[in-house]
Amino acid sequence: MDTQAFQAAILEGIPEVLPAPKAYEPNINHAPKRKEILTEEEKKLALKNALRYFPEKDHAELAPEFLEELNTYGRIYMYRLRPDYEMKARHLEQFPHQSRQAAAIMLMIQNNLDYAVAQHPHELITYGGNGAVFQNWAQYRLCMQYLATMTDEQTLVMYSGHPMGLYPSHKDAPRVVVTNGMMIPNYSKPDDWEKFNALGVTQYGQMTAGSFMYIGPQGIVHGTTITVLNAGRKISGGKTDLAGKLFITAGLGGMSGAQPKAGNIAGVISITAEVNPKATHTRHSQGWVDEVIADLDELVARVEKAKAAKEVVSIAYQGNVVDVWEKFAEEGIHVDLGSDQTSLHNPWAGGYYPVGLSFEESNKMMAENPELFKEKVQESLRRHVAAVNKCTNNGMYFFDYGNAFLLESSRAGADIMNEKGDFKYPSYVQDIMGPMCFDYGFGPFRWVCASNDPKDLEITDQIATDVLEELMKESPAEIQQQMADNILWIKEAGKNKMVVGSQARILYADAEGRMRIAAAFNKAIAEGRISAPVVLGRDHHDVSGTDSPYRETSNIYDGSQFTADMAVQNVIGDSFRGATWVSIHNGGGVGWGEVMNGGFGMVLDGSDDAHRRLTNMLFWDVNNGISRRSWARNEGAIFAIKRAMDANPQLKVTIPNLTDDKFIDSLF
């Protein structure tokens, strides 16, 4: 399809004449069938909700088709409305637009649904098994049409994938405001998501799926590399050389697909188990994992060979991770590092597959006999933990990777609690990312070159390197390690070929680093060294974006880890300080009802106005979180917020007065 036809298709929105039905494509990685949860009356309501996107003349044709989708797949996806053009990031000028900011947002949406990026592209799911960009293809078409026709004095309002409409606004307001899964608190149980999503009234946006900021597995590979490196340092007296050390984990689907690449960069032997052959094939064909093995005895022999030669190699085990853990525990093979990154925030609908059942058997059971499937999952988790415990008793360091593994294992009755009633194992945020990164303001700063030109990405990599090296000369001792790790990362980024989809990059930076890098990008755009605008963003998994008691805020110990003020304040503050779009979600990362998280996107176009916005917004976006972490009495955050106040006299933050623990204990 040429550019003119592509633009016409977007401007058409929902077609006046219905396109022909599309055949189901079995070669595409599809979402599993969702369980039957709606009553007959609720199915009628779901149909009415879907048909409101279409004039009455089309209802007789569409209603039986939508009912069949609902009965067959558990959702109404409106497959026939899938566009005929390729879903991918393009140069932003190829999108029809009146607002360049809106064109950049269209680029990001297309990238989220790129077949090389999205986990279940035909179901509009980007990652995590249920992380949706939209609920159905009518929403996609309508949203793209709105973005193509809006001006810089309008704001598009998005309710869980539904484009509510364009509203008069102003140039300083966000172009898009996104909410996903904003439920009344008592209606945030897993079955509530199943029901209300099936009705077509809400969706699970994950973290960066429903906020249009997903950049493929690269988005987490840097954080995973930092985590594995520092987990290795914990067990090797601070040494960075991890040659010959073995890391076992699971998950190759969405974000978890970053693990083998991170293992290679960190210099370990890694085994990543994956039950879905299509996910394994995708990561292997993309070069994100080196080898695929489906036989346990062959796997053991390969690992022993790699240990002896101190190889750096990533191995995908095609099968269930519980079998791997039990095999290695039984044979007494020493494992140095262990974790898990299956989508246990979504345990009953494809996020975790029980041992002893094939992939196909599991998909059939979860749809047709969900109660038995739940029993199988919980039985599997008990076996999973028992095998992990044997390996940790043999000296392995195990950490929860924020996927609700510990939480769901505890709910399954696994031997996962210690004598104090706490989890036996730490979250990686508690041990590594919280005290080392988030408390000091370091988090996942992202950018995407809107030209979609690899040359522009190379230039941004060099600019970021130059800025960080200059900053490191001025940095205090407390953050020298963070600076050094990030400089090494960005220098090696291009060599590791991490781009999947858009020309994007990520590194961990604090507020000063983000502002300085962004300002340098903006200047380079103005001077023509970068050929087109750059989109800034971040993972919601950051210093200030997410309130998540079992992950991002698991190292908050003042009792406020179950509050969500920080995430909400983050989004409100970003929206009036210059963000191009903002989003707030229920459930991203660790499960529906377990977390609130916010994100943003910002378009740099080389203008003075963009410089004003980036300075104002990025400063708040980070220091909001440092302020909260400081008030929780986190030592690193107290240091970081005092440093921020020294740098900006307009910042005045309430600093906690510390108490003597012995004095408090003496009162009881």
Side-chain angles (χ1 to χ4, degrees):
M1 183 181 288
D2 63 22
T3 300
Q4 187 175 2
F6 168 68
Q7 293 180 346
I10 286 179
L11 288 167
E12 182 183 36
I14 298 173
E16 286 189 22
V17 177
L18 290 175
K22 284 185 165 59
Y24 187 85
E25 297 183 26
N27 59 314
I28 296 294
N29 191 19
H30 288 283
K33 179 184 177 181
R34 308 303 184 184
K35 68 181 181 181
E36 282 277 342
I37 198 164
L38 299 184
T39 65
E40 184 175 302
E41 286 303 309
E42 287 168 338
K43 285 185 177 182
K44 293 177 183 177
L45 182 57
L47 282 176
K48 288 193 283 186
N49 288 344
L51 291 169
R52 59 186 163 182
Y53 288 100
F54 304 92
E56 189 175 359
K57 68 180 178 63
D58 296 327
H59 290 187
E61 182 175 355
L62 290 176
E65 182 179 315
F66 289 170
L67 180 59
E68 183 181 1
E69 284 188 15
L70 186 60
N71 288 331
T72 304
Y73 309 114
R75 298 292 186 272
I76 299 172
Y77 296 115
M78 307 182 187
Y79 287 122
R80 78 152 69 199
L81 269 76
R82 277 196 301 107
D84 292 324
Y85 52 79
E86 186 180 359
M87 306 298 289
K88 66 177 183 178
R90 296 166 165 82
H91 193 296
L92 89 164
E93 298 298 347
Q94 292 184 17
F95 293 92
H97 65 275
Q98 297 186 52
S99 162
R100 293 186 92 200
Q101 293 183 348
I105 297 169
M106 285 190 276
L107 179 157
M108 300 300 290
I109 290 172
Q110 289 279 101
N111 186 66
N112 269 22
L113 294 170
D114 186 324
Y115 283 20
V117 174
Q119 185 180 17
H120 305 307
H122 285 190
E123 290 76 36
L124 302 115
I125 290 171
T126 301
Y127 70 97
N130 57 0
V133 190
F134 301 95
Q135 296 177 60
N136 58 59
W137 287 101
Q139 292 179 346
Y140 164 83
R141 283 178 174 263
L142 189 55
C143 177
M144 294 293 280
Q145 183 186 46
Y146 278 138
L147 288 168
T149 56
M150 73 185 295
T151 72
D152 284 339
E153 295 194 348
Q154 290 175 299
T155 292
L156 174 61
V157 176
M158 301 289 300
Y159 280 26
S160 284
H162 168 65
M164 189 61 72
L166 293 174
Y167 295 83
S169 186
H170 55 83
K171 290 181 179 179
D172 274 351
R175 296 283 67 78
V176 182
V177 176
V178 177
T179 55
N180 280 298
M182 291 292 104
M183 305 300 294
I184 303 300
N186 280 347
Y187 300 89
S188 266
K189 297 180 290 297
D191 271 357
D192 292 326
W193 172 74
E194 294 281 359
K195 175 181 176 180
F196 293 113
N197 189 227
L199 284 173
V201 295
T202 194
Q203 74 175 11
Y204 191 93
Q206 258 292 349
M207 290 192 142
T208 52
S211 60
F212 321 142
M213 190 45 72
Y214 189 65
I215 59 170
Q218 180 188 179
I220 198 173
V221 71
H222 181 32
T224 306
T225 301
I226 290 175
T227 300
V228 175
L229 268 176
N230 285 289
R233 286 168 179 160
K234 287 178 76 70
I235 63 171
S236 58
K239 294 177 184 175
T240 305
D241 182 8
L242 306 180
K245 298 203 180 297
L246 175 61
F247 172 46
I248 294 181
T249 184
L252 282 174
M255 286 290 202
S256 58
Q259 295 179 105
K261 177 71 79 173
N264 282 6
I265 297 170
V268 299
I269 303 159
S270 67
I271 300 171
T272 309
E274 172 57 56
V275 295
N276 184 347
K278 288 179 180 175
T280 304
H281 171 75
T282 297
R283 294 300 174 226
H284 188 237
S285 65
Q286 291 172 341
W288 283 72
V289 64
D290 299 325
E291 302 174 14
V292 179
I293 296 175
D295 180 83
L296 284 171
D297 290 327
E298 183 184 344
L299 179 68
V300 168
R302 182 68 184 91
V303 166
E304 288 177 336
K305 180 183 175 184
K307 276 176 168 270
K310 292 195 172 181
E311 286 183 69
V312 175
V313 62
S314 55
I315 304 165
Y317 173 69
Q318 185 59 65
N320 198 292
V321 73
V322 178
D323 289 324
V324 177
W325 283 117
E326 290 181 340
K327 178 74 170 178
F328 278 65
E330 178 187 337
E331 302 214 0
I333 300 168
H334 181 66
V335 183
D336 298 279
L337 302 170
S339 192
D340 186 271
Q341 212 175 102
T342 53
S343 298
L344 266 161
H345 67 276
N346 180 33
W348 324 126
Y352 181 93
Y353 283 77
V355 67
L357 293 176
S358 70
F359 183 62
E360 293 74 19
E361 288 169 338
S362 290
N363 283 334
K364 183 176 170 59
M365 186 184 291
M366 77 176 70
E368 297 179 4
N369 195 342
E371 289 306 312
L372 179 58
F373 182 74
K374 182 175 181 178
E375 289 177 20
K376 293 289 186 183
V377 166
Q378 293 193 319
E379 177 190 343
S380 186
L381 282 169
R382 291 192 290 271
R383 284 176 57 179
H384 194 153
V385 169
V388 165
N389 288 345
K390 287 181 182 178
C391 291
T392 57
N393 290 339
N394 198 29
M396 178 181 72
Y397 173 69
F398 185 88
F399 55 91
D400 180 280
Y401 212 123
N403 63 334
F405 175 77
L406 298 181
L407 184 63
E408 288 301 332
S409 295
S410 69
R411 290 169 175 169
D415 181 16
I416 200 74
M417 312 303 289
N418 62 25
E419 61 279 0
K420 293 182 179 179
D422 299 323
F423 294 132
K424 283 184 177 181
Y425 305 114
S427 156
Y428 75 114
V429 173
Q430 285 177 287
D431 260 18
I432 297 168
M433 299 305 286
M436 182 177 178
C437 293
F438 295 164
D439 284 354
Y440 286 101
F442 283 81
F445 182 55
R446 297 178 174 182
W447 64 88
V448 177
C449 296
S451 64
N452 211 39
D453 187 342
K455 292 178 182 176
D456 277 346
L457 186 61
E458 288 178 22
I459 294 167
T460 62
D461 283 349
Q462 187 58 57
I463 290 172
T465 301
D466 293 343
V467 169
L468 290 179
E469 288 184 333
E470 192 61 34
L471 278 171
M472 189 172 178
K473 296 175 186 175
E474 313 161 10
S475 296
E478 287 84 350
I479 60 172
Q480 284 288 313
Q481 183 69 67
Q482 293 91 323
M483 297 298 293
D485 283 350
N486 278 285
I487 290 168
L488 176 63
W489 161 267
I490 197 65
K491 282 184 172 180
E492 298 291 317
K495 299 176 190 175
N496 283 302
K497 298 179 181 178
M498 291 176 293
V499 169
V500 177
S502 61
Q503 294 297 314
R505 190 66 78 218
I506 182 173
L507 59 78
Y508 268 50
D510 60 6
E512 184 178 16
R514 299 182 208 204
M515 289 187 292
R516 293 267 287 267
I517 293 170
F521 288 169
N522 199 53
K523 184 170 184 277
I525 295 165
E527 294 170 350
R529 288 189 290 137
I530 299 174
S531 70
V534 170
V535 179
L536 300 183
R538 57 163 170 75
D539 194 351
H540 299 194
H541 170 64
D542 197 4
V543 179
S544 142
T546 296
D547 283 298
S548 180
Y550 299 108
R551 197 164 79 180
E552 284 78 5
T553 46
S554 61
N555 73 317
I556 299 291
Y557 301 111
D558 69 346
S560 70
Q561 65 266 42
F562 293 94
T563 66
D565 301 82
M566 181 179 73
V568 174
Q569 288 282 1
N570 177 261
V571 170
I572 293 171
D574 283 357
S575 68
F576 65 75
R577 286 180 172 88
T580 305
W581 74 96
V582 292
S583 58
I584 185 135
H585 302 179
N586 165 22
V590 297
W592 188 255
E594 302 285 358
V595 53
M596 295 290 287
N597 64 86
F600 77 87
M602 173 176 277
V603 178
L604 303 181
D605 60 6
S607 65
D608 290 342
D609 187 58
H611 182 83
R612 173 183 65 86
R613 288 165 174 261
L614 74 87
T615 303
N616 198 2
M617 199 219 77
L618 293 175
F619 185 83
W620 157 260
D621 189 69
V622 176
N623 281 298
N624 167 49
I626 298 176
S627 300
R628 184 269 182 91
R629 294 168 187 279
S630 164
W631 187 241
R633 296 183 291 274
N634 291 17
E635 183 180 345
I638 294 172
F639 167 85
I641 203 64
K642 287 180 177 178
R643 185 166 173 251
M645 285 192 285
D646 288 341
N648 189 332
Q650 288 189 294
L651 178 66
K652 299 183 186 301
V653 173
T654 309
I655 301 295
N657 295 297
L658 305 182
T659 53
D660 185 326
D661 287 345
K662 291 181 180 177
F663 166 70
I664 296 295
D665 291 343
S666 72
L667 300 176
F668 292 86

